[in-house]
Amino acid sequence: MDPQDIYELLAAVKSGSLDPAEAAERLRKLPYEDLGYAKVDHHRALRRGFPEVVFGAGKAPEQTAGIVDRIAARGQNVLVTRTSADVLSLVSPSWPSARYHAEARSVTVTVRETPRLAGRVAVVSAGTSDLPVAEEAALTASFHGAEVERIYDVGVAGLHRLLDRTDSLRRARVVIVVAGMEGALPSVVGGLLEAPVIAVPTSVGYGASFQGLAALLAMLNSCASGIGVVNIDNGFGAGYLAVAILKSGSVET
Amino acid sequence: MDPQDIYELLAAVKSGSLDPAEAAERLRKLPYEDLGYAKVDHHRALRRGFPEVVFGAGKAPEQTAGIVDRIAARGQNVLVTRTSADVLSLVSPSWPSARYHAEARSVTVTVRETPRLAGRVAVVSAGTSDLPVAEEAALTASFHGAEVERIYDVGVAGLHRLLDRTDSLRRARVVIVVAGMEGALPSVVGGLLEAPVIAVPTSVGYGASFQGLAALLAMLNSCASGIGVVNIDNGFGAGYLAVAILKSGSVET
Amino acid sequence: MDPQDIYELLAAVKSGSLDPAEAAERLRKLPYEDLGYAKVDHHRALRRGFPEVVFGAGKAPEQTAGIVDRIAARGQNVLVTRTSADVLSLVSPSWPSARYHAEARSVTVTVRETPRLAGRVAVVSAGTSDLPVAEEAALTASFHGAEVERIYDVGVAGLHRLLDRTDSLRRARVVIVVAGMEGALPSVVGGLLEAPVIAVPTSVGYGASFQGLAALLAMLNSCASGIGVVNIDNGFGAGYLAVAILKSGSVET
Amino acid sequence: MDPQDIYELLAAVKSGSLDPAEAAERLRKLPYEDLGYAKVDHHRALRRGFPEVVFGAGKAPEQTAGIVDRIAARGQNVLVTRTSADVLSLVSPSWPSARYHAEARSVTVTVRETPRLAGRVAVVSAGTSDLPVAEEAALTASFHGAEVERIYDVGVAGLHRLLDRTDSLRRARVVIVVAGMEGALPSVVGGLLEAPVIAVPTSVGYGASFQGLAALLAMLNSCASGIGVVNIDNGFGAGYLAVAILKSGSVET
Amino acid sequence: MDPQDIYELLAAVKSGSLDPAEAAERLRKLPYEDLGYAKVDHHRALRRGFPEVVFGAGKAPEQTAGIVDRIAARGQNVLVTRTSADVLSLVSPSWPSARYHAEARSVTVTVRETPRLAGRVAVVSAGTSDLPVAEEAALTASFHGAEVERIYDVGVAGLHRLLDRTDSLRRARVVIVVAGMEGALPSVVGGLLEAPVIAVPTSVGYGASFQGLAALLAMLNSCASGIGVVNIDNGFGAGYLAVAILKSGSVET
Amino acid sequence: MDPQDIYELLAAVKSGSLDPAEAAERLRKLPYEDLGYAKVDHHRALRRGFPEVVFGAGKAPEQTAGIVDRIAARGQNVLVTRTSADVLSLVSPSWPSARYHAEARSVTVTVRETPRLAGRVAVVSAGTSDLPVAEEAALTASFHGAEVERIYDVGVAGLHRLLDRTDSLRRARVVIVVAGMEGALPSVVGGLLEAPVIAVPTSVGYGASFQGLAALLAMLNSCASGIGVVNIDNGFGAGYLAVAILKSGSVET
Amino acid sequence: MDPQDIYELLAAVKSGSLDPAEAAERLRKLPYEDLGYAKVDHHRALRRGFPEVVFGAGKAPEQTAGIVDRIAARGQNVLVTRTSADVLSLVSPSWPSARYHAEARSVTVTVRETPRLAGRVAVVSAGTSDLPVAEEAALTASFHGAEVERIYDVGVAGLHRLLDRTDSLRRARVVIVVAGMEGALPSVVGGLLEAPVIAVPTSVGYGASFQGLAALLAMLNSCASGIGVVNIDNGFGAGYLAVAILKSGSVET
Amino acid sequence: MDPQDIYELLAAVKSGSLDPAEAAERLRKLPYEDLGYAKVDHHRALRRGFPEVVFGAGKAPEQTAGIVDRIAARGQNVLVTRTSADVLSLVSPSWPSARYHAEARSVTVTVRETPRLAGRVAVVSAGTSDLPVAEEAALTASFHGAEVERIYDVGVAGLHRLLDRTDSLRRARVVIVVAGMEGALPSVVGGLLEAPVIAVPTSVGYGASFQGLAALLAMLNSCASGIGVVNIDNGFGAGYLAVAILKSGSVET
C-alpha cells in the first residue's frame, strides 16, 4: 500500500463513499509489515544503479544464470561471486556485457552505468595465494562504483615491499587488507595509516592455521586501532563494507 | 496510534477539517514500529497473570529490589532468578508474599493468582550438584502455573533409580532433564518416553567437562528423538519452554 | 512373557501341576528386561499408525530398500531421511505409494492412513540454502500427521519479509526455525511469539561459521525465551520434537 | 635527519669541506628508520587536537595518573579506558577538567578543544549488561569529536523497540552495534540500513556463550552486508573505527 | 518384592485364597524396576567390605561429615576425595579410625577390614606437581585393598629415572601413569610394559596446556598400545579402574 | 649381547686369552641400549604366539602385503587393521590361512596356534554404524586369544535391549563399549557392572558430534566409575587393552 | 639506489652540475623503502649460493616450472617443496641438474655449489608415516649446505631404538624431531641432549589427534627445555630454522 | 657402576676369586638404567657452572627456599622463576648473593662465576605488558652466561620504533621476540633478519585473544622462516633455547 493508495482511501472517506469506521478498520489492519516493505522498497530505489549481488557457491550454473537473467531484465547490474566460467557461457548470449573475472571467480553483467563514488579504496594482500579473495574484494568495490588500487604481495616477511607503497596507501579513504597464515598485515598497515582498515582473514595456510582461524584471531586482536574484521575469505563483505563507508562519507547529514 | 486515533483522523477528513493529502501524509509517516508496538502490547495483555522474570546475576540487590518493586506495583507477579537472600530482605517489607527459594537461588513475589496450566511437567536431575539448575527450572514452571513433579538424583550410573520412576515420568506432558558431566540422562529418558524432553546441560563436572561443554554436546547428539536443548545451566529457559509447550497445547487452533 | 503366560503359570500352580516354589523361582528369575520389553512393545503399539524412520546416510540403496520393505510389509508407514532417488526406484515396484521428496532428500512409503494431529507446525527458514533441512523438518512433521505451514526465506537481514508473515506465525502451535550463518532468526521469531520455538542450526555458511557452530552457539544463547535447540542440520529431530509437542498437548492427563 | 640536514651536507660537499665519498657513506648509512620516524612524526602532527588513549587495565592508578599527567602537560587531551575512579582523584588536582565516566569505566582530561567531526555515530546496544562496552564506544567517539546518539536496550527479542528507532538509526553515518549472548542485533540493524555497521561482541552471557565467542562468531557470519567486527568487549576499538570512518569521509581525496 | 513375597502370593493361589487372574494382574504390574533394584542390591552385597566413595568438592564440611557418619554407621568403610582436614576434625570424634591424607586431599574411615586384592598397582607420576592426583589414585587403590607401589617424579625429560625403575614397573599388574604438561609419560611406560596402563592427564602446566587438554590429547593419541585414559585430574577414577581390573582377574569365569 | 656372550667373554678373561682391561673396555662401551634391546627382545619372546599388528591405513596394498609376508615368514601371526580386501588377494597365494574380515576392515594370517586367554571380553555397540569399530575391537581381542561375545545395537535410546543382555554382560571380565553420537552407553553399562569398561568413542554422528568429540568428552566425564577411554574410532586399541587386562589377571605376581 | 648512485649524485653536486637544493630534494624524497630494499638486496647478496625456496602447494606444475626457470636462470639454486614429479619433467630439459625427491615431495635444481655449513643436523622421526615431513626437513637443511643425519622410526613406544642412537644424537649441533600422534618424542630427545631441539608436529594420527593439534600442544608443553616448535607438518620451516642456527653459530660477532 | 668397578670385577675373575658364571650374572643384571644414569650424570658434569633452574609457581616460599639452599650448598648457581620477593628474604641470610628481579619475577643466587657465552641474544618485546615474560627470557639467558640486549616496546602498530633498532637486531646471534595480542611481531622481525628467531606468545590481551591462543597461532603460522615457537608466557623456555643455540655454536663438532 503506497501513499497513493492511502490518498485514495482518504478521498473515498471524504467523498462519503467509504465509512470512516470501515476505513479505520482497513488502516488499522494494514500490517506494518507492508509499510515496512514499502519503506524498504523505496529505500532500495535510492540505491538504484548499484548492482544486485548473487552468491554463486552451491548453485548450479543454470540456476545462477536464471537469477542473473531476471535481475538484468529488471535493468539492474549483477555481480555473481564464487562462481565459474560456465555461468558466463550461459549468460553472455542474452547479455553481451557479461564478463568473467577469473581471479575473483566472479561474473558481472552491466546493463546501466554505475555512479562513481568519491574516494579511493586500496586493496592490500599479503601473498599470491590470497589473490582470489583480494580480487573478490576489489571487484565488489569497483563494480559498486569505487576507484580501486591494488597493492598485492606485500606480506610482513618482506616489509620493504609494503613500505614502498606507503604513499599509495595514504591516498586511500578505506584500506582493505587481505591476509592468511598469521594475519599480521592489518596490524602493520593499521599502524601506518589514519584511514579505516577492513581486515579479511583468508584460509590460506596449513596446520595450525586451522583454515583461517589463526589469521582471524590475529586480526581481532590487532594492537593497531581503526580495524574492522570480516569473515574468513569474505572478500565480497570487505568490498561491500568499503563501499558503505565511501557512501556514508558522501551522505548529507 | 491506536484505532481510536485513526478513527478520529478519518472523521476529521470526513468533516473537512483535515485535508485528505495531509491525512495521507500523516498516515504514511505513521511508523510501523508504533503499530508493531501496539500489537505487542496487546499481545502482552493476553499473558496477563503470568509473571515477569528478572535475571538477577550481575545486579546489585538494591537494583533488583527496585525493579521488583516497580513490577509488583503494576500488579504483576515477579520471579527473580540467580539472586540471593539479600534481595528478599529488601523486598519483603513492601511485599509480604515475597519468598526466597534457596536451592533455586530465586525470589518470587505473588500479587495475584496465577492461572493453572493443564498438564504436568516432570523435572529430572542426574546428581545432587545439578539441584540448583533443576530447582530453577521447577520453580520457573510452577510459578508460571504448571504442576511440577521432581524426580531427582537418578543419574545413568544407577539406572534402576530412574527405571523405578518410569510411571511418574510417563504421566508428564513435558519432561525437563538436567544433567552435567557426560550428559547422558536425556538420551535414556528420551528413549523411555513419548513426551517432549527439554535437556539442560549443567556446568557440573571438572577437567574435560569444560564447564558443561561435554554435556551440551552429548545432548545435542542424542540418539533419542524428541529432545530440545537449552543453554548450559539455563534452568529458567527450560522451565519457560516447558510452560510454552503446556500453553501451546491449551490453545484453540 | 506376557500376561497370558503368567496366568497359565499361576493356573498350573493352582491345579497342582506346578510347585509354588518352582513357580516362584521362575518368576523371580523372570528378567525385568523382558517385562520392560513388553511394556515398550505395548507402548509402541499405542503409536500404531505413526511411521518408522530410517536414517539413510551411510547405507547403500539396496540396504535401505530392504529395510523399507520389511517395515512396510509389517503395515507401517516409513520415512527415510538423508537418502537419494535411487532408493525410490528400488522400492516403488513393490510399494507404489513410495515417493521421493527431492528437497527433503527423503523417501516416504504410506501403507496406512496416518491419524491427523491437532495444531499447526510452522517451519521458518532463513535462506534458500537452508531449504533441505527445513524440508526435512516439514516432511517429518507432516508425515507424522501434523499440518505444516512453510514460511521460507525470511532471514533477519530483510526483516520485513518476516514481519509480513507474523499472522501466519501466530497461528502455529509450534514453530521450527531453521537458520545457518549467524543463526539469529530464532531469537527474532522467539521475541514475536508465545509458542514454543524449535531452533535448527544449519551448516550453511563458510569461514568462521565452522560448519554450523556459529549458528548453534547463537541459538543456545538466544536472549528470547521458549527456545529449544537441536543438532546442526537435524531437520528430522526438529520435526519429530514438534510432533511430540503436538501429541503431548492432545494427551489426556 | 631532516631536509635541512641533507641540504647542509650537500652544501658542505659543494663547498669542498666534505668529500663526496665521505658524504655518500654518511647518506648510505642514513637509516631509513629515521626517515620513517620523521614521516610518522609529521603524520602525528596532522592529528593534533585528537586525544591520546591509555589502556588502563593492569596499570596501577599511580602509573596511569603519571602517564595522564605527561600527556596533558604536552597539551593533548587524554582518554583512559578500563580504569577506575581512583585515577580521577589522583589526576583532578592538577587537571580540573578531568572527569570520570562511570558507565564507560573511563577518565577524560580535556586541555584543548577537540575539532568536531561531520556526521553522527549511533551506538546501539542489545541489553543493559552491554552498557559498559557501549558507553566506552560512545565516549571514545564523542571525545574524538563525533556527535553520538545512544540507542540502548533494543535487543532482538523485543524487535519493536528497535523498529521504533529506525529513523534515528537512518540519520547516522556509522552505526556501532553492541551485543552479547547470541549477537544477533548487528544482522538485524545491518538489514535495515545502508550505513556501515561496526559490530562489537560482548562477553555478556553464560554457558555456551563462552565469554563472547558465540556473539563473535554470529557477527562474523552475519547474513547482512556492510558489517565489520572488532574484538570481544572492545568498545574503544569500535568507537575509534567509527571516528576513522567519519574522518575518512571528510578527507579531500 | 523379594522371592519370599512371590512365594507367598503363589501359595495363596494354590490355597485358593487368591484368584489366579488377580495374582497374574499383580505380577504383571510388578514393576521391573523393583526387580532391577533387588538385583542391584544383591549385587552390591557382593561388594561388601569395599568402601563407599564420597566426592567432597563443593560440599560443606558439615555435609560431608554427615554423609560419612551415615555410611560408617552402616558398617562400611568410607573414602572422601577432594576434601579438607576440616572434615577430619568433624568426623574423628565419632570415628577414631578416621585419617586425613593431606597429599591425596582425602579422608578415610575404616570400620571393617578390607579384603586384600591379588596383584600390585604401580602409580607413576611425572612431576612433583602431579602428586595430589597421583596420591588420590594410590589411596583409592590401596583403600580398596590393592597393594600399591609409588614411582614418582620420573618424567620423560629425565628418562634415566624412569628406566631405573623398570623392574618395579614390570612387577605391577596394572600401572597408573599420572602426567600433566605434554602428557608423554604413558606412551613411554606403555612401550616398556605388557601390563595395562591407565593414563591420567593432570591440569598441571600453563599456557597452551589449556588446563590439561594438551596432556589429555597426547594420552588419547598414544602410539603405545594397552592404554586407557580417564578424565583430567581424575586420580580417583584411575585408582578405581585399577581395582576393577585387579578384581576382574580374580573372578572365576 | 646375551648372558651367553657375557659368559664367554668372562671365560676368555679367566683363561687369559683376553686382558681384563680390554674386557672392561668392551663391557663399559656395551651400550645400555643393547642391553635394553635384549631385555625387550627377551620380553617379546614371552609374547611368542601373539600376533604382530600392522596399521594398514595409508599403506599401499603391495606395501602391506610385503610386511605381512615378512612377519608370517618369521612364524608369527599377523593382524592388519584398516585395510582392504586387495591385501587379501596379494597375501593368500603364499598364506592360505589369510582371511579378510570385511566388517572389521582387517586381514589376519594365522601361522601358529594362539594360546587361549582365560576370561571373556564383551564387545557392546550402540548402533549399526558403530559396527566397523566394534568388529575391529572384537577381532583384535579374539585374534590375541580372547573369547569374545558381541552385544550389538543396544544404544541407550532403547534401553530394554541392553537390559535384556545384562546377564551376558555380567559374565565378561572386561567390557568394551563402542558408541558414537552422545556416547552415553559406557556410563549406562558402567553403572550395571563391576568389570572394567573400555569406552571407544566413534566418529559416527554429524553436526555437533564434531567427528566423535562429543562422544569422547561424554565418555571421559562419565559419572560411572571403572571406565578407561581410548581414542576416537580406535577399536584396535580397545581390543588390545582388553587383552592386556586379561593377560594381567593371568600373571603370577 | 645503491652507494654508487649516491656517490654520482654527490659528485654532480661537487662539480656544480647539480644544485645542492635539487640534490637535497632528490635525497629527501628518496623513499626509505628503497633504501630498505637496497639493504635487503645487499643482504641477500650475502646469502649468495643459498637456494631460493618455492612453496609448490596450490601452484600448477607449469607455474612452478616457470618460477624455477627464472630463479635458476639468475644463477641461484632452487628448492621446490610440496610439489610433484610433474614439475621435474617440465624443468629437467632446461636444467639437467634437477632432481625429484619423492619422499620429501620436493624438486631441487643446483646451478652452483652451495657452501657447506659447519655442524651436523640430526633429523629424528617417530614413525614411518612422519617420513615425508622428516625428509622435507632433511632435504631443506642439506640443500642449504648442512650435513644431515637421519634417525628414523624411533618413537617413544619402543624407547630402546632411540637410546641405541644416543651417540649419533649427541654429535649433532641441532636436532629436528618430527612426530605425530601424541608428539612425545621431542620431550624424550630434549631430556637426553644439550643441543637445541626443533620440534615438528605432524598431522599423522586420527580421531583426537585433530590433524596434528594433539602433537602440537604436547610439544609446546614439553617438560624438557631447549625446544622450539614449528607449525604442523612444517618440515621446511624446521630445516630452515636449523640452518639459521648453524649459520648463526658461524657468524663473527 | 663405573669402568673402575667393571675392571675390578674382571680382575677378580682373572684372579679366580670370582667365578665367571657369577660375574656374568652380576653383569647381566647390571641394569642399563644405571649405566644410563652414569652417562647422564657425567653429562651433567659437563654443564658444570651453569645454573640449576627452579619453577617457583605453586611452591610455598619455604619450599622454594629449601630447594635453593640445597642447590647452592652443592656449589651451583640457582635461578628461580615465577616466584616472589618472599623467597629472597628467606634465602638472603644464608646466601648474600641472592637477588630478586622484580620484573622477571625471579630470584637468582650466584655462588660461582658463570662462563660467558659467545654471541649476543636480543630480546624484543611488543608492549609494556609483555615485560615480565621478556624479562624472564632475558634474565634466563644472561644468568646462563649470554650477553643480552633488550629492545622493548616496538610493536608492529608503530613500525618505525622497530626499524630504528634494526642494526641492534642484526648484531644478535639469536633473537627472542615476545608478543601478545595478535602476535605479529616475530613475522616482522623474522623478515628483517637472518638469525634464528624464538617467538614467545604472551597471554596479554582480552576477548578473542583467548589467553594467548591468538598470538600462539599467529606465530606458528608465520610467513617468515627461521622461527621456533615456545609455550604461551614461557619466557624461561625462550631464554633457555637461546642459550642452547649459543652453546651449540661453540661446540667443537
Side-chain angles (χ1 to χ4, degrees), chain H residues 104-154:
Chain H
R105 298 166 303 182
S106 300
V107 163
T108 53
V109 179
T110 311
V111 295
R112 52 182 301 158
E113 204 182 348
T114 303
R116 307 314 300 171
L117 295 165
R120 196 190 312 191
V121 175
V123 180
V124 179
S125 79
T128 49
S129 310
D130 302 317
L131 207 73
V133 177
E135 275 299 304
E136 187 183 290
L139 180 64
T140 299
S142 66
F143 198 62
H144 280 79
E147 180 189 357
V148 172
E149 175 161 13
R150 289 158 172 86
I151 302 179
Y152 286 177
D153 206 13
V154 294

Side-chain angles (χ1 to χ4, degrees), chain G residues 87-171:
Chain G
V87 167
L88 182 70
S89 54
L90 292 165
V91 163
S92 53
S94 321
W95 307 99
S97 70
R99 294 287 175 274
Y100 183 63
H101 308 258
E103 288 186 324
R105 299 166 304 182
S106 300
V107 163
T108 53
V109 178
T110 311
V111 294
R112 53 183 300 160
E113 204 181 347
T114 303
R116 308 314 299 171
L117 294 165
R120 197 191 308 192
V121 175
V123 180
V124 179
S125 79
T128 49
S129 310
D130 302 316
L131 208 72
V133 177
E135 275 298 304
E136 187 182 290
L139 180 64
T140 299
S142 66
F143 199 61
H144 280 80
E147 181 189 357
V148 172
E149 176 160 14
R150 289 158 172 85
I151 301 178
Y152 286 177
D153 206 12
V154 293
V156 294
L159 208 54
H160 59 282
R161 294 175 301 183
L162 176 66
L163 299 178
D164 276 351
R165 305 296 295 274
T166 307
D167 285 351
S168 292
L169 279 169
R170 293 201 173 134
R171 278 192 298 271

Side-chain angles (χ1 to χ4, degrees), chain B residues 128 160 162-166 170 192 206-210, chain E residues 32-34 36-37 40 55 82 213 216 231-234:
Chain B
T128 48
H160 58 283
L162 175 67
L163 299 177
D164 277 349
R165 304 297 294 274
T166 307
R170 292 203 174 133
L192 294 173
Y206 60 90
S209 87
F210 297 123
Chain E
Y32 61 83
E33 290 84 1
D34 282 0
Y37 189 86
V40 170
F55 185 69
R82 311 241 171 149
L213 177 63
L216 171 63
N231 196 2
I232 297 164
D233 290 335
N234 190 4

Side-chain angles (χ1 to χ4, degrees), chain A residues 158-174:
Chain A
L159 208 54
H160 59 284
R161 294 174 302 183
L162 176 65
L163 298 178
D164 276 350
R165 305 296 295 273
T166 307
D167 285 351
S168 293
L169 279 169
R170 292 202 173 132
R171 278 193 297 271
R173 251 179 62 193
V174 191

Side-chain angles (χ1 to χ4, degrees), chain B residues 219-241:
Chain B
M219 291 173 181
L220 288 166
N221 286 285
S222 176
C223 54
S225 299
I227 297 180
V229 183
V230 298
N231 197 1
I232 297 164
D233 290 335
N234 191 4
F236 163 71
Y240 193 95
L241 177 54

Side-chain angles (χ1 to χ4, degrees), chain B residues 155-159 162-163 180-185 187-192 205-210 213-214 217-225, chain F residues 155-159 162-163 180-185 187-192 205-210 213-214 217-225:
Chain B
V156 295
L159 209 54
L162 175 67
L163 299 177
M181 300 176 80
E182 83 272 62
L185 194 55
S187 293
V188 173
V189 170
L192 294 173
Y206 60 90
S209 87
F210 297 123
L213 178 63
L217 293 182
M219 291 173 181
L220 288 166
N221 286 285
S222 176
C223 54
S225 299
Chain F
V156 294
L159 208 54
L162 176 66
L163 298 178
M181 301 176 79
E182 82 271 62
L185 194 55
S187 293
V188 173
V189 171
L192 293 173
Y206 59 91
S209 88
F210 296 123
L213 177 63
L217 292 182
M219 290 173 182
L220 287 166
N221 286 285
S222 176
C223 53
S225 299

Side-chain angles (χ1 to χ4, degrees), chain F residues 128-141:
Chain F
T128 48
S129 311
D130 302 317
L131 208 72
V133 177
E135 275 298 304
E136 187 182 288
L139 180 65
T140 299

